[in-house]
Amino acid sequence: MLQRFGDGRDWFFEQRFGLFLHFGLYSIDGWHEQDQWRRAIPAADYVRRAERFNPTAYDPDAILDLAESVGMGYVCLTTKHHDGFCLWDTAQTDYNVMHTPYGKDIVKMLADACHRRGFRLGLYYSIADWHQPNYPNEGRHHELPGPKEGDAPDWGRYLAFLKAQVRELCTDYGEVSEFWWDMNVPEHRDPSVNAMLRALQPSLLINDRGFDDGDFGTPEREYKADAVKGSLAFARPTEACNSVGTQSWGFRRDEDYYTCRHLIESMDMILARGGNYLLNVGPDGSGAIPEEASRILTRIGAWYAKTREAFDGCEPASELTENRKVLLTRRDTTLYVHLAQPAASTAVVLNPIRERPQRAVLLNTGEAVETAVELVPALFQRKQPCLRLRNLPVEQHADETLVVRLDFETLPAEAGQTAGREFEG
Ligand code: GLC
């Protein structure tokens, strides 16, 4: 069984698919969210982008319409990325959206739209900071090579600034459901920071990239874990994140987008193991979601609409079979078979399950699937028949992960355990 919190934070297990938004000054030029660092842009030049920040097409309701239409249940916005620019009306620095031609609180606009619609709000905050003068940029990873002119590195002061900022975020924007720390480069531990956030927001879930282990793990672009290792349930609550583009999380004009097939496979693999999937898009400098990113989300949403019953309220159950090319999830007496890798044949053998389901349906199309319980030549040494799904239309649907629903009379877990015992020795 998946671990549950048993309190207001359990929304996380009901809303398994979320939208990640990387949005900031870097969205204007559209190269990479770490433009300042990766292209060594002098700070004095980079900050001038604030003079051009005017995302008049930013429309939180349009963004949430899209998110909702593809089955997402929460959104997580970069309130401050590594560049230090703040998307809200913070009293701690002028390097924020109120001091741009746009002049409106982007976080508040999204928060208000979320609360109006009952959509869950998540806030991302980078600990590394390339602007705030007290942050000790020492040339470690994701840091500027050294202090800028006028900087006064002082970790204690920086922490005070950070705490004041996150306190604002967890006080002035209504209910916050997720807090998403990133880039604790100094690897500083201080559980009091999350404790403060929790006191302000009782149903807040906090990720593991902050000052303690938080509530959930955040593997990134790790969907290609090999099938054997990757098929079992995550040991702790997990939210894997990925972006629609291979190169950048922020808007990139010349992005190399993932294929939908690839993203669907990655999402299926994470959800079937009991994790959540946070899929990122970067609004462009005008604040709009790029057309190609919308198209990809819509395509994934079409697949999710057909298959999400294989995740909602389900438990990971891949241990019921020795077949490591598929993933299994289950709810009551229903088992879902996820063809987690591009199919090598038209059949799936679910050794050692020996029960024949009463019904088998391919969720992608609604069509019935042929099943048999029989001795399979390739497994003849087992001397036991096993469940085989055959004549699956894998060639016709090579562009998405297939999921088969199997309805059993008796619990497949019992079937599996019994068969497993018989195979021992
Ligand atoms: C990586 C990137 C960072 C991005 C984050 C999202 O840490 O370096 O720019 O915000 O992934 O998970």
Side-chain angles (χ1 to χ4, degrees):
M1 287 287 275
L2 276 181
Q3 179 202 334
R4 297 272 192 274
F5 301 111
D7 55 29
R9 298 175 295 169
D10 280 350
W11 65 267
F12 191 70
F13 304 105
E14 279 139 36
Q15 300 298 343
R16 312 271 308 276
F17 188 23
L19 178 67
F20 211 175
L21 292 173
H22 274 65
F23 191 31
L25 294 185
Y26 45 80
S27 312
I28 303 172
D29 282 21
W31 191 77
H32 189 277
E33 80 279 1
Q34 296 169 13
D35 204 357
Q36 181 180 355
W37 179 55
R38 295 196 183 203
R39 289 202 291 186
I41 298 173
D45 293 342
Y46 188 84
V47 298
R48 298 206 59 184
R49 290 187 185 181
E51 296 164 18
R52 290 191 283 137
F53 191 69
N54 194 16
T56 50
Y58 172 64
D59 178 351
D61 275 304
I63 293 173
L64 298 185
D65 283 346
L66 173 66
E68 260 173 25
S69 75
V70 305
M72 290 167 160
Y74 62 106
V75 61
C76 183
L77 171 70
T78 51
T79 62
K80 183 191 89 165
H81 204 260
H82 315 334
D83 64 6
F85 180 74
C86 303
L87 288 185
W88 79 102
D89 185 5
T90 172
Q92 314 308 321
T93 172
D94 285 347
Y95 196 42
N96 76 56
V97 68
M98 306 312 283
H99 298 260
T100 65
Y102 191 60
K104 284 190 275 181
D105 187 327
I106 297 237
V107 175
K108 181 155 192 349
M109 291 165 73
L110 182 67
D112 288 349
C114 281
H115 301 326
R116 214 183 315 116
R117 309 163 64 123
F119 207 78
R120 297 258 168 203
L121 174 68
L123 302 177
Y124 165 110
Y125 185 97
S126 171
I127 297 168
D129 193 311
W130 303 330
H131 181 78
Q132 210 280 349
N134 300 128
Y135 181 85
N137 277 291
E138 293 175 7
R140 295 167 287 195
H141 69 92
H142 298 87
E143 277 184 354
L144 299 184
K148 310 179 296 294
E149 215 187 303
D151 277 359
D154 183 329
W155 179 247
R157 281 181 173 223
Y158 178 69
L159 266 189
F161 163 86
L162 171 149
K163 287 180 193 171
Q165 283 214 308
V166 299
R167 175 181 283 281
E168 289 176 354
L169 289 170
C170 287
T171 308
D172 301 338
Y173 296 90
E175 186 177 5
V176 181
S177 296
E178 176 176 70
F179 204 88
W180 220 98
W181 296 106
D182 197 18
M183 246 5 122
N184 180 358
V185 177
E187 297 179 23
H188 180 79
R189 307 288 283 181
D190 179 359
S192 77
V193 185
N194 281 352
M196 173 183 88
L197 299 187
R198 291 186 201 287
L200 295 167
Q201 295 280 345
S203 62
L204 188 67
L205 268 167
I206 305 176
N207 80 349
D208 63 344
R209 298 191 189 183
F211 302 104
D212 62 34
D213 292 340
D215 300 306
F216 64 91
T218 53
E220 183 173 308
R221 301 193 193 261
E222 270 187 10
Y223 36 85
K224 275 294 174 193
D226 78 82
V228 177
K229 265 199 305 189
S231 62
L232 301 178
F234 287 113
R236 72 176 300 210
T238 295
E239 179 199 70
C241 56
N242 198 4
S243 189
V244 293
T246 62
Q247 294 297 317
S248 176
W249 297 79
F251 169 62
R252 176 167 167 77
R253 290 179 196 285
D254 187 21
E255 184 56 274
D256 304 323
Y257 287 97
Y258 283 111
T259 63
C260 292
R261 160 85 228 188
H262 178 85
L263 290 171
I264 288 171
E265 204 178 298
S266 109
M267 173 162 161
D268 177 78
M269 188 175 296
I270 297 298
L271 293 183
R273 295 176 60 197
N276 282 20
Y277 198 66
L278 186 65
L279 184 57
N280 174 76
V281 302
D284 64 22
S286 81
I289 305 287
E291 225 169 90
E292 182 61 5
S294 291
R295 190 192 68 78
I296 290 172
L297 288 191
T298 303
R299 171 70 186 93
I300 293 170
W303 170 81
Y304 188 47
K306 292 180 290 185
T307 57
R308 76 180 283 175
E309 68 160 274
F311 308 109
D312 284 352
C314 288
E315 296 284 337
S318 297
E319 71 281 0
L320 295 182
T321 181
E322 294 163 5
N323 181 342
R324 291 278 78 95
K325 296 210 168 12
V326 299
L327 296 167
L328 302 180
T329 52
R330 55 173 291 190
R331 187 189 333 95
D332 304 326
T333 55
T334 296
L335 196 63
Y336 295 96
V337 184
H338 306 245
L339 275 70
Q341 300 175 357
S345 90
T346 56
V348 169
V349 175
L350 292 169
N351 186 47
I353 296 175
R354 287 197 285 120
E355 259 65 4
R356 184 157 181 229
Q358 295 162 305
R359 237 165 21 111
V361 177
L362 180 63
L363 293 183
N364 307 65
T365 62
E367 68 199 271
V369 169
E370 295 173 34
T371 62
V373 173
E374 58 195 3
L375 189 64
V376 179
L379 296 175
F380 78 101
Q381 281 168 318
R382 299 285 198 178
K383 295 190 176 61
Q384 294 281 358
C386 61
L387 175 59
R388 177 171 159 251
L389 317 181
R390 62 188 185 198
N391 292 327
L392 288 161
V394 292
E395 306 267 25
Q396 295 89 311
H397 304 287
D399 60 341
E400 63 180 39
T401 300
L402 298 183
V403 183
V404 181
R405 171 188 168 127
L406 305 177
D407 293 314
F408 290 90
E409 198 170 349
T410 54
L411 289 172
E414 288 166 16
Q417 278 159 15
T418 310
R421 271 202 299 279
E422 284 174 16
F423 280 123
E424 277 166 20

